[in-house]
Amino acid sequence: MQLRNFAILAACVTLNAGCMMAARAVTQRQPDPTRIFDSADTNGDGVITREEFHAARERAFTRLDRNGDGYIDKDDAPSRPGARHAAKDRLAQLVAQLDKDGDGRISRAEFVDGPTPLFDRADTDHNGELSSEEVAAIKDRIGKKAAQ
């Protein structure tokens, strides 16, 4: 009887761990586009200017261009097998959105100098700057949309 109870308990723990890993994988596959705001306010005044946002995109490009060849493409996916698959999916989405010349990769100019729909959506008063309230509002809107 004790052996049977132990087997049931072990199966429940294994199932729970599997569910937690699956939930974590799903969460990891959903990148948060608003993370860029967290590092954009470089002077710490509580306002993100378009120039600061542009500089944050420069830093993000450098981070994403893992092999340093000046392009973001499939070669920049992480080498860990589990992370590589999810990263390839995200990279494919990014290329689809930002690859303006259709060469299958994103150049620095396409990434950094391209359209800024996230900044533009957040800038509700259209003054070219994001207040802390505007950043909080866009994070809330995107967070609610991702939770659906």
Side-chain angles (χ1 to χ4, degrees), residues 42-75:
T42 54
N43 65 4
D45 66 354
V47 174
I48 300 171
T49 64
R50 193 170 289 279
E51 291 77 24
E52 286 175 315
F53 189 75
H54 181 76
R57 285 175 70 152
E58 281 273 0
R59 292 188 301 274
F61 181 87
T62 300
R63 189 182 74 252
L64 293 170
D65 181 19
R66 291 173 177 258
N67 63 6
D69 67 354
Y71 295 94
I72 300 171
D73 59 18
K74 61 180 174 32
D75 296 333

Side-chain angles (χ1 to χ4, degrees), residues 75-86:
D75 296 333
D76 294 305
S79 57
R80 289 186 349 259
R84 187 168 180 81
H85 180 70

Side-chain angles (χ1 to χ4, degrees), residues 24-31 63-66 72-96 104 106:
R24 194 175 316 126
V26 168
T27 303
Q28 288 174 350
R29 287 189 188 147
Q30 301 301 322
R63 189 182 74 252
L64 293 170
D65 181 19
R66 291 173 177 258
I72 300 171
D73 59 18
K74 61 180 174 32
D75 296 333
D76 294 305
S79 57
R80 289 186 349 259
R84 187 168 180 81
H85 180 70
K88 278 188 174 183
D89 290 345
R90 286 193 301 268
L91 282 170
Q93 291 172 353
L94 201 59
V95 168
I106 304 167

